[in-house]
Amino acid sequence: MVVRFRVDRGFGGILVFWLSGAFSLCLGQVVISELMYHPPSGSGFEGSELEFVEIYNAGENAVDLSGAYFNDGIVFTFPDASSLDPGEFLVIVSNTAAFQERYSGVSASGEYEGQLDNSGERVQLLDASGQLLFVVDYRDSSPWPSEADGAGKSLVLRDPSLLPSDEDDYSAWRASSEELGSPARPEPSLDIVQVVINEVLTHTDLPLVDAIELHNPTGETAEIGGWYLSDQYENPKKYRIPNGSSVSPDGYFVVDEIAFGVGETGFSLNSHGEPLWLFSADENGNLTGYSYGVEFGASDNGVSFGRYVLSTGETEMVALSERTLGSENVEPLRGEIVVSEIYYDPSAGGYEYIELLNTSGENVRLYDIENPANTWRINGLAFDFPSGLTLQPNQMAVVTQVEPSVFREYYGPLEGVMVLGPYAGALDNAGERISLQKPDSPDLVDGQVFVPYIDVDVVDYNDKAPWPVSQQEGACIERVDLVGFGRDADSWALSYCEQGSPGWVRGMSYEVWKRAWFSDEDLQLVELTVPTSDFDEDGEANLWEYATGGSGRISLVGINQTNPEGGGFEMSVRRSLYPSDVVWNLWFSDALGDSGLWEERENEAEAITRTLLGDGSELIVFKGEIIGEASFFRLGLSLEN
């Protein structure tokens, strides 16, 4: 008799065991323990031919892998009678001859079809019945270890006995201790205090000089004498930290270009951007297996990059609001223009777009003043802004995939919004990095003119948590914190509007609304665009239009007041969800006109009900009892300050 037994391990790790032959009916665990997804070329073979995937049985019983298969990322099916004993490894490879040339004496259990994606992808192992055994969704960018992305190391599971919390749980993985990985054998442990590169100053003019700051985030002193710093992973021994050097618990260690830039092996930091590496070594200069790498882009003169921890625990190297060499990093530098909305997966009839907002209070020229042909761009869309554009204070710009006239016809006039496009590409529905960049002064590189581009605002959006995930068709996200860090998922939420909300920004002010919905010519008519005026002459003040979700040119339904059975009152009105500076007041009186004394109704918050309308507004209903002689009620609107 054959008995089939299934155990759910809480990670989708559903394991199948057979009561026959050498296999016993008890718990086991099969994991993907190592991925060499972007190996360096060598031994006469291209890097892609030297890939491998290692599988490990971390359980106490043998596991039958007959018919088990990979179908996502690579394609491979284990033949009949395939098994994996407790504590045993097996390796499948891209090219058997290439693998055996590089890893002499290590046997491959099979050759798969396809290639592991150097940019990252989902790789899953299933049993013969299609039940998931293990899955990993790796990436080639921080917080995943960059050393595994073509730099010579593999991606290894830190502890095969502990299942990752999720398929993209980066904290469960690290770069291999050894160059080229350790296929079909245990990964050597690292008993080294893991110091990190914490701040880098790369663009300086004398008397300021480039500098590198190391940080020890642990509670144990780090002895770093003999360690190396280098701008090339393949050439680690460029600058050797003097013997006897150490970093105290939670301490810092700073070295500047006067030290690391001298001698035959000295190097300089590229102000246009490059990687930087830290390598552990003993006092004799022998590498001991730990490495830590960062990558930075171009920066403004005197602006340093620092290690910043996101709400998810991930780390990024970002431009800092001030230099903090030798001490704790400060908040990131906030760009004068921010990405305020991304409609990356439009539902039927909608159009992709990215919305930008000038939060600086100053005019921002979207080009290099001294080199006007060098304009701002959106990296990720391959979109260059046209020449000569200036974004005014509080003004928005929308970059869309269709002609501006088509966009305005669909979303309304948006008189004061700069609508640009179309762009040739498309926003990735699965997520990608979008970088708003400005040009720096041109440099000569190898005799050629090179224009560095500096990140102004960056968003690494995704269609998976912790980024906001839509349960409906389409996906549009909008920034909920204009001063928050754009790469942090906590700064974003799903749009209030099912088709996006160009011209509206979470937490906006009347000044932002006015700049979006009135043209430059309109704004010259100051007396008609103030809150108390009625620009479109529909009987409703501009403030009312703003507070209820209008454009200043469209009349909206006003207040509806009823007296329900049993006395009391109900007053309903549509209210926009976007303004941050509107104050609503409920007033009552015993008479109309000059003879009535209007008083503010207190403690009405508990009596308000709200219903989202899906268009960026809500229906609010004020309910209450009539007190004394009060027979008349009205809503009052004002702006804060």
Side-chain angles (χ1 to χ4, degrees):
M1 178 180 69
V2 176
V3 179
R4 195 173 188 179
F5 181 66
R6 194 173 87 178
V7 179
D8 194 332
R9 299 286 291 169
F11 175 62
I14 299 174
L15 309 176
V16 179
F17 304 96
W18 299 90
L19 188 62
S20 62
F23 301 99
S24 60
L25 186 65
C26 54
L27 189 63
Q29 180 182 328
V30 175
V31 299
I32 298 172
S33 51
E34 186 172 2
L35 288 169
M36 176 59 87
Y37 70 87
H38 190 181
S41 301
S43 305
F45 294 95
E46 295 294 325
S48 59
E49 298 178 280
L50 293 159
E51 295 177 358
F52 67 81
V53 178
E54 178 190 83
I55 302 167
Y56 176 64
N57 181 0
E60 299 177 353
N61 303 280
V63 176
D64 183 6
L65 289 176
S66 300
Y69 60 97
F70 289 88
N71 70 342
D72 204 350
I74 57 174
V75 177
F76 178 80
T77 300
F78 287 92
D80 292 342
S82 295
S83 65
L84 194 60
D85 290 331
E88 185 178 23
F89 296 90
L90 64 79
V91 179
I92 58 174
V93 302
S94 174
N95 182 314
T96 301
F99 179 81
Q100 291 180 341
E101 181 68 26
R102 171 166 283 181
Y103 304 98
S104 177
V106 181
S107 299
S109 297
E111 192 172 287
Y112 54 76
E113 298 178 9
Q115 302 292 156
L116 296 169
D117 195 325
N118 291 348
S119 299
E121 65 179 329
R122 189 174 189 268
V123 180
Q124 63 178 6
L125 173 63
L126 303 98
D127 72 8
S129 68
Q131 299 292 337
L132 189 63
L133 293 175
F134 191 88
V135 59
V136 56
D137 189 0
Y138 68 91
R139 290 290 178 265
D140 70 335
S141 57
S142 178
W144 292 83
S146 56
E147 300 97 311
D149 183 25
K153 296 196 174 185
S154 63
L155 192 64
V156 298
L157 198 59
R158 289 183 184 273
D159 187 345
S161 67
L162 297 176
L163 291 175
S165 62
D166 201 354
E167 60 190 57
D168 57 359
D169 178 13
Y170 64 88
S171 66
W173 298 84
R174 66 173 175 87
S176 60
S177 303
E178 300 180 358
E179 290 295 315
L180 306 180
S182 55
R185 57 187 173 86
E187 173 67 14
S189 61
L190 281 176
D191 186 20
I192 297 172
V193 179
Q194 299 191 4
V195 175
V196 299
I197 298 172
N198 197 57
E199 188 173 354
V200 184
L201 180 60
T202 67
H203 188 175
T204 58
D205 290 333
L206 292 173
L208 203 61
V209 295
D210 292 0
I212 301 168
E213 176 195 79
L214 306 181
H215 174 52
N216 176 10
T218 77
E220 180 182 352
T221 297
E223 302 295 340
I224 61 170
W227 289 32
Y228 291 95
L229 286 165
S230 177
D231 59 348
Q232 293 180 309
Y233 185 87
E234 64 277 11
N235 185 11
K237 296 184 178 182
K238 285 199 170 183
Y239 170 71
R240 187 170 184 267
I241 297 173
N243 288 345
S245 300
S246 64
V247 190
S248 60
D250 200 32
Y252 301 87
F253 181 93
V254 179
V255 58
D256 61 32
E257 192 172 12
I258 297 173
F260 65 73
V262 300
E264 294 183 0
T265 60
F267 66 97
S268 60
L269 297 174
N270 191 334
S271 64
H272 301 160
E274 65 174 340
L276 177 65
W277 296 92
L278 172 68
F279 299 91
S280 68
D282 59 28
E283 293 197 350
N284 294 320
N286 301 309
L287 297 178
T288 54
Y290 173 70
S291 59
Y292 186 88
V294 298
E295 189 164 359
F296 50 86
S299 71
D300 285 309
N301 197 343
V303 175
S304 65
F305 292 97
R307 185 170 173 266
Y308 180 76
V309 182
L310 305 181
S311 60
T312 57
E314 303 172 39
T315 60
E316 294 272 4
M317 290 296 288
V318 303
L320 297 178
S321 54
E322 61 180 273
R323 298 187 300 275
T324 57
L325 293 164
S327 60
E328 183 179 358
N329 291 344
V330 294
E331 289 297 303
L333 178 67
R334 183 166 64 90
E336 54 267 65
I337 297 176
V338 301
V339 179
S340 52
E341 187 174 7
I342 303 176
Y343 196 8
Y344 64 87
D345 184 15
S347 53
Y351 303 112
E352 280 187 4
Y353 66 85
I354 290 178
E355 179 188 79
L356 311 173
L357 174 66
N358 180 1
T359 64
S360 70
E362 304 288 340
N363 286 336
V364 177
R365 294 182 176 89
L366 302 181
Y367 56 90
D368 181 354
I369 298 174
E370 297 181 358
N371 303 276
N374 298 337
T375 65
W376 288 40
R377 69 186 186 187
I378 300 178
N379 195 19
L381 280 186
F383 178 82
D384 295 329
F385 286 83
S387 300
L389 297 182
T390 296
L391 203 62
Q392 298 177 21
N394 299 314
Q395 188 177 15
M396 299 180 206
V398 169
V399 182
T400 178
Q401 67 176 161
V402 295
E403 291 291 342
S405 58
V406 175
F407 188 86
R408 291 184 190 276
E409 182 178 357
Y410 186 81
Y411 284 104
L414 296 168
E415 296 284 345
V417 176
M418 184 185 295
V419 181
L420 305 169
Y423 50 78
L427 294 166
D428 194 329
N429 291 349
E432 63 178 317
R433 171 168 287 198
I434 297 296
S435 304
L436 175 65
Q437 298 179 322
K438 64 180 181 181
D440 199 5
S441 300
D443 282 341
L444 279 177
V445 178
D446 297 329
Q448 302 293 320
V449 175
F450 176 79
V451 180
Y453 272 84
I454 299 170
D455 287 338
V456 177
D457 195 30
V458 180
V459 182
D460 286 311
Y461 74 90
N462 202 290
D463 67 342
K464 295 187 296 185
W467 286 84
V469 179
S470 175
Q471 303 301 319
Q472 302 175 353
E473 178 188 4
C476 180
I477 56 174
E478 53 193 13
R479 205 158 180 157
V480 296
D481 184 0
L482 294 177
V483 299
F485 189 49
R487 298 187 211 181
D488 202 323
D490 276 2
S491 298
W492 296 85
L494 289 174
S495 174
Y496 287 136
C497 301
E498 296 173 0
Q499 292 283 2
S501 58
W504 295 88
V505 179
R506 296 273 188 109
M508 69 192 300
S509 66
Y510 179 81
E511 292 303 312
V512 172
W513 175 83
K514 182 175 70 173
R515 191 66 194 81
W517 294 99
F518 294 114
S519 67
D520 291 344
E521 292 76 15
D522 295 338
L523 293 174
Q524 298 301 312
L525 306 172
V526 178
E527 71 282 0
L528 294 181
T529 57
V530 295
T532 53
S533 293
D534 178 12
F535 184 90
D536 55 2
E537 299 182 345
D538 65 347
E540 305 293 355
N542 296 332
L543 175 57
W544 178 262
E545 306 271 15
Y546 164 57
T548 55
S551 67
R553 299 172 178 273
I554 302 173
S555 180
L556 296 170
V557 176
I559 298 173
N560 180 36
Q561 180 174 323
T562 60
N563 292 88
E565 294 182 8
F569 71 93
E570 290 186 2
M571 184 177 289
S572 60
V573 66
R574 169 181 165 177
R575 178 168 70 178
S576 174
L577 296 166
Y578 288 97
S580 64
D581 54 354
V582 175
V583 179
W584 293 75
N585 306 99
L586 182 62
W587 302 82
F588 71 96
S589 177
D590 59 354
L592 293 176
D594 295 337
S595 61
L597 179 62
W598 289 94
E599 299 180 42
E600 186 172 0
R601 181 87 174 206
E602 298 179 355
N603 301 321
E604 288 298 332
E606 298 81 5
I608 297 176
T609 61
R610 298 176 171 87
T611 304
L612 294 177
L613 300 179
D615 62 354
S617 66
E618 63 181 353
L619 178 69
I620 58 173
V621 180
F622 295 86
K623 299 179 180 180
E625 299 296 326
I626 297 177
I627 301 174
E629 299 297 324
S631 301
F632 303 97
F633 299 86
R634 70 181 182 187
L635 286 176
L637 289 181
S638 61
L639 291 178
E640 290 182 350
N641 303 320

